[in-house]
Amino acid sequence: LLSVIGSKEVAGEVICVSTHVFCFVEPVQSTNEFYQEGHKTAMAAGDMIIAMVNIIIHSVNCFWIGSSLPTVRKNFESTRYLLEQQNNATFLSQILPVMRNLSRLIGTDNLDNNNPPCEETTMEHDLLARNPFQATTFIFQKLYISFLFREYDQMKSLAEQYFQLPFKSWTLIFSTSARVFISGLASFWIYRQIGDIIWIERGQKAKKILSHWTGSCEWNFSNKYYLLE
């Protein structure tokens, strides 16, 4: 339809939303690159908001799909530079929690002099109370890293906060699957520790969702489903 209409003004947004769908039916390692196209197209049309949305999602997906960590860091540094140039605090607050986890995984923990620090900021905490989407990202990234490093007590506390969040997404993006997967793993771990049935129900719900997505793209989701199984 876009090729028929030929409207460059909305092309970046069309590519962005279409790629959301592609990531649930085709291998995400290839479809994720469409966000790069959406970014360039939106930039050419002067649509900075959609340009930033495309590049943010591309960078976040690179974090989840197994790209090399130095490559992911380079992507995030470019994304952060653009967001700071545009002075967009809301979008910037979406990537800082991921960048902190990235630093910890690489082992720099913000001590690398070649990279600016991304410690928790007042801006992020101000947004937590009034932006459910920001709260979801902030808490989930902490939940993820505490799960990964087997910090059970902190993970359990963050999982309790995460499941109390009121946020319901208005769209489906690939990083949603990471949240379902990790929160499911965390739920099963907590259930094994304390035996509270609510946690096994949360884990089973995550498994059911991933089973549904596996039906549309085994490559992207079957591994996560079987790990939960």
Side-chain angles (χ1 to χ4, degrees):
L1 180 61
L2 182 64
S3 64
V4 172
I5 297 174
S7 176
K8 294 181 180 180
E9 289 77 10
V10 298
E13 185 171 3
V14 171
I15 293 171
C16 182
V17 176
S18 299
T19 306
H20 295 344
V21 179
F22 280 134
C23 287
F24 280 83
V25 295
E26 299 288 345
V28 69
Q29 287 81 0
S30 58
T31 56
N32 190 46
E33 295 309 306
F34 287 123
Y35 287 116
Q36 287 274 45
E37 180 185 349
H39 168 69
K40 294 176 182 177
T41 303
M43 288 284 284
D47 189 345
M48 291 306 302
I49 295 296
I50 295 300
M52 289 186 286
V53 170
N54 271 290
I55 202 64
I56 289 170
I57 298 176
H58 177 268
S59 297
V60 171
N61 282 355
C62 284
F63 180 78
W64 292 117
I65 66 178
S67 301
S68 70
L69 294 181
T71 298
V72 176
R73 179 168 63 181
K74 184 177 180 180
N75 286 340
F76 270 105
E77 287 169 355
S78 297
T79 301
R80 180 180 183 176
Y81 178 78
L82 174 63
L83 301 184
E84 289 176 339
Q85 288 293 102
Q86 295 297 312
N87 197 28
N88 194 308
T90 301
F91 285 173
L92 185 61
S93 68
Q94 287 297 306
I95 69 167
L96 291 178
V98 190
M99 292 185 72
R100 284 192 289 270
N101 284 349
L102 183 59
S103 292
R104 189 170 179 189
L105 291 171
I106 292 175
T108 58
D109 281 354
N110 297 321
L111 298 179
D112 188 344
N113 292 329
N114 295 320
N115 297 283
C118 52
E119 299 173 354
E120 291 183 16
T121 64
T122 303
M123 170 195 69
E124 291 177 87
H125 286 276
D126 287 344
L127 285 170
L128 290 178
R130 52 190 174 87
N131 188 328
F133 191 77
Q134 168 58 16
T136 301
T137 299
F138 186 85
I139 293 173
F140 171 74
Q141 287 295 329
K142 286 192 164 197
L143 166 62
Y144 165 68
I145 204 70
S146 61
F147 173 84
L148 207 61
F149 283 91
R150 313 307 286 172
E151 298 163 349
Y152 173 77
D153 291 338
Q154 182 175 350
M155 181 215 66
K156 180 175 180 292
S157 174
L158 289 163
E160 290 169 345
Q161 295 177 55
Y162 178 78
F163 282 107
Q164 292 301 314
L165 291 171
F167 178 73
K168 301 296 182 182
S169 179
W170 58 269
T171 189
L172 187 63
I173 56 179
F174 184 75
S175 60
T176 304
S177 67
R179 293 176 182 173
V180 171
F181 175 54
I182 297 299
S183 64
L185 289 175
S187 295
F188 282 131
W189 185 12
I190 295 170
Y191 173 75
R192 291 195 299 270
Q193 297 297 314
I194 66 175
D196 188 337
I197 194 171
I198 191 173
W199 291 103
I200 197 170
E201 289 175 347
R202 287 167 172 165
Q204 294 287 1
K205 181 179 179 180
K207 190 172 73 171
K208 183 177 180 180
I209 293 171
L210 283 165
S211 175
H212 176 70
W213 289 337
T214 297
S216 64
C217 186
E218 290 189 6
W219 176 273
N220 290 342
F221 304 112
S222 62
N223 57 340
K224 298 176 180 64
Y225 171 76
Y226 288 125
L227 282 170
L228 283 175
E229 182 73 18

